[in-house]
Amino acid sequence: MRSLLLLALAALGLYWYAERYGLAVGYPPFLPVFYWKYTGEARYPLRVTGLYDAVKVRVEGSLQEGSLEVALLQEGRLLGERRYRGSFQEEVRFPVSAGEYLLRFRLQDAKGQVRYDWVATKFAP
């Protein structure tokens, strides 16, 4: 009985923390990430060689609240951007050339789950 009470108190404390400060649980790109009123940003540096002509980003998920923004930047300059709300499943391709890039995932008051993955690749015309 004591264990059940401690578990209930821990769950209540976790709920209070998530409601007040936001919470993200998961490890991209391999696992889905679960968000509860989360606002934040994840940045992933990419190095693209001369063999590639696009960065492909696959996003899928369902947000009951808030939004997800996916952007590709080079030297602080925005090259492309997509915004998602509600349920979504999409594969976005950003054209690139050789160089250093930054892939940014920005969440605003997100509540739900999102899975994303990315790769630099060559596409046939």
Side-chain angles (χ1 to χ4, degrees):
M1 188 67 173
R2 242 181 227 185
S3 300
L4 189 57
L5 181 60
L6 287 175
L7 186 60
L9 284 174
L12 185 60
L14 186 62
Y15 175 78
W16 175 83
Y17 181 86
E19 281 290 319
R20 187 164 184 162
Y21 301 108
L23 184 66
V25 178
Y27 189 76
F30 306 109
L31 301 173
V33 181
F34 297 90
Y35 298 104
W36 189 278
K37 295 199 175 188
Y38 180 79
T39 297
E41 182 174 287
R43 295 170 171 247
Y44 300 97
L46 297 173
R47 177 176 293 180
V48 177
T49 67
L51 299 175
Y52 305 106
D53 66 356
V55 170
K56 180 173 73 170
V57 181
R58 179 160 175 77
V59 291
E60 58 184 274
S62 177
L63 294 176
Q64 290 80 32
E65 296 175 17
S67 65
L68 165 69
E69 175 188 293
V70 179
L72 185 69
L73 298 101
Q74 184 178 33
E75 298 174 358
R77 189 173 39 106
L78 184 65
L79 300 177
E81 178 180 42
R82 294 297 307 247
R83 185 171 296 244
Y84 301 96
R85 293 178 181 274
S87 293
F88 50 88
Q89 181 175 352
E90 187 175 15
E91 189 174 280
V92 183
R93 295 179 183 178
F94 297 108
V96 296
S97 57
E100 302 284 329
Y101 294 89
L102 184 69
L103 187 58
R104 181 181 71 198
F105 296 92
R106 183 179 286 166
L107 293 121
Q108 182 67 40
D109 294 325
K111 186 176 180 182
Q113 68 91 21
V114 177
R115 183 180 183 285
Y116 45 88
D117 195 3
W118 59 90
V119 65
T121 187
K122 183 80 173 168
F123 292 97

